[in-house]
Amino acid sequence: MSVASPSPMSPGLIVLVLSLLLGLQPVTTDLYLPALPALTQGFGAPMSQAQLTLTALLLAFGMSQMVWGPVSDRFGRRPVLLVGMSLYVIASVGSTFSASMEQLVLWRTLQGVAMGAGVMCARAIVRDLYTPVEGARVMSKGLTGLGVIACASAPMGGLISEYLGWRMALLAVAVFGAGTLLVLALRFEETLKHKNPQALQPVTLVRTWWQIVQHPTFWAYTLLSTASYTGLFTFLAASPFVFIQVLGLSKPAFGIVMFSMSLSYIVGTFICRRLLPLLGVRRTVALAGVCTLTAGTLMGGLALAGIQNMVAIMLPFYLFMLAHGVHQPCGQSGAVGPFPQAAGAASALSGFLMMVAAFFMGGWLGRSLASVAEGGGTVLPLTNGLWFWSVMIAFFAWTLVQRYGEPKAPPVRLHAGSTP
């Protein structure tokens, strides 16, 4: 395995840590999604406010990374992870015992801040230890772990919320966070060998951000991963209401649907690892773009033609998730690849942009799905949203990634205060 910096941790432990940290996202979202309609009714809250439990979390998640990133470049990944995961457990317990929807939104916002530390550090750890090309393969292994966690999250959330209530579904999130914190405290070793003592100085921060946003490779891969994630977010935010309240699915059955979706994603990450050595990053992403556009167009076209059922949505979405398993490891590792001296900052900015897009998409979905609470509703907000993001994914995969995905020039040099 080609490494940029040797680590005392075994390759298996590194993949486990990446899987747990990246898995924070599906656990924090997927596990409580089957409980979201019941939670909304329990508090007597409007649909728009229920969507805030997801969109506020994601906006806080994105914004917090802008702080966690430079802090981790200055002090290292381990202290940031320990503080962030401790905060995550506290916020998860607070969410469980919320007395109102307003309190739940506040606790979920804090949960998003804490989650930012874990996911941002996961991407930075890959750049600390591996070269960009090998980093895509290692990231795909970590995202396979994420897929396994996601497979378990939705069915477990459906069963827990059905038989134990929605509060127990939120408590299960706290249990996962506590387990992850324990692994980090006992087994994780620092991966950042050369800390940057100037990383938090305002002048250094501005220069670092400026050099990152000027790099075309950063934008090529960030826009690809942002569009791919926002397509997935569209499904996550809309599907509980569309499947349970419009199509009449039970909560346990919805959990099984989510399980099958995650299984398709896992297969995509395996395909990604097989294709990268054969085709390279750019051609692999371009091929996945064909799958994405086919999936989105098929789903959107069938819905507009009046074919609105589970099969018409899920069969194309399996193809979308297969391609998502290619776009995410390539996009997330590619965005930080040119910045070995500022992987935390690059990871933070990429993650922030991803969550901003998801936040605005969540706001649109909240308005579009408002009629569901009144007994009406349609699948079109879900299918049209996914169709739009499928077009955007294919556009970025076939244009920016093809032009800037493997730059010939050496990586940009950051401010002299950075340690090479």
Side-chain angles (χ1 to χ4, degrees), residues 316-327:
F317 192 66
Y318 290 142
L319 185 59
F320 179 95
M321 289 303 293
L322 205 71
H324 185 69
V326 173
H327 292 313

Side-chain angles (χ1 to χ4, degrees), residues 88-282:
Y88 180 88
V89 174
I90 294 170
S92 300
V93 173
S95 297
T96 303
F97 298 103
S98 297
S100 66
M101 184 65 83
E102 290 80 5
Q103 286 186 23
L104 180 60
V105 170
L106 287 175
W107 281 117
R108 293 278 290 178
T109 301
L110 184 60
Q111 201 173 35
V113 170
M115 187 171 70
V119 178
M120 180 284 303
C121 280
R123 292 191 293 261
I125 287 167
V126 171
R127 188 61 190 94
D128 291 341
L129 300 177
Y130 302 97
T131 60
V133 174
E134 185 64 23
R137 297 186 67 191
V138 174
M139 179 63 80
S140 75
K141 292 181 180 180
L143 290 172
T144 298
L146 175 151
V148 172
I149 292 171
C151 277
S153 294
M156 186 179 298
L159 290 171
I160 292 174
S161 61
E162 179 75 14
Y163 298 110
L164 299 177
W166 60 264
R167 289 190 186 274
M168 290 301 100
L170 294 178
L171 185 61
V173 176
V175 173
F176 179 87
T180 302
L181 176 61
L182 187 63
V183 170
L184 293 171
L186 296 179
R187 301 296 303 277
F188 181 73
E189 302 286 343
E190 182 59 63
T191 59
L192 183 62
K193 301 304 178 185
H194 303 287
K195 300 177 180 65
N196 181 4
Q198 300 184 37
L200 295 177
Q201 294 181 3
V203 173
T204 301
L205 272 175
V206 170
R207 288 179 179 174
T208 299
W209 296 129
W210 179 241
Q211 292 191 27
I212 290 171
V213 300
Q214 282 184 303
H215 204 293
T217 299
F218 170 81
W219 283 110
Y221 285 114
T222 292
L223 290 174
L224 175 71
S225 58
T226 295
S228 188
Y229 177 78
T230 311
L232 171 60
F233 172 81
T234 300
F235 182 87
L236 294 177
S239 59
F241 301 99
V242 169
F243 288 174
I244 294 174
Q245 295 184 294
V246 176
L247 299 181
L249 220 61
S250 69
K251 284 179 280 189
F254 175 71
I256 298 300
V257 168
M258 297 291 284
F259 170 84
S260 64
M261 171 202 79
S262 301
L263 203 60
S264 178
Y265 172 71
I266 292 173
V267 173
T269 63
F270 277 107
I271 292 173
C272 178
R273 292 203 293 277
R274 299 298 179 268
L275 290 181
L276 283 173
L278 298 175
L279 303 179
V281 175
R282 289 182 295 180

Side-chain angles (χ1 to χ4, degrees), residues 342-369:
S347 169
L349 185 56
S350 178
F352 169 73
L353 294 171
M354 216 182 293
M355 294 310 117
V356 167
F359 177 81
F360 283 108
M361 191 65 194
W364 179 79
L365 285 170
R367 295 189 297 273
S368 301
L369 292 168

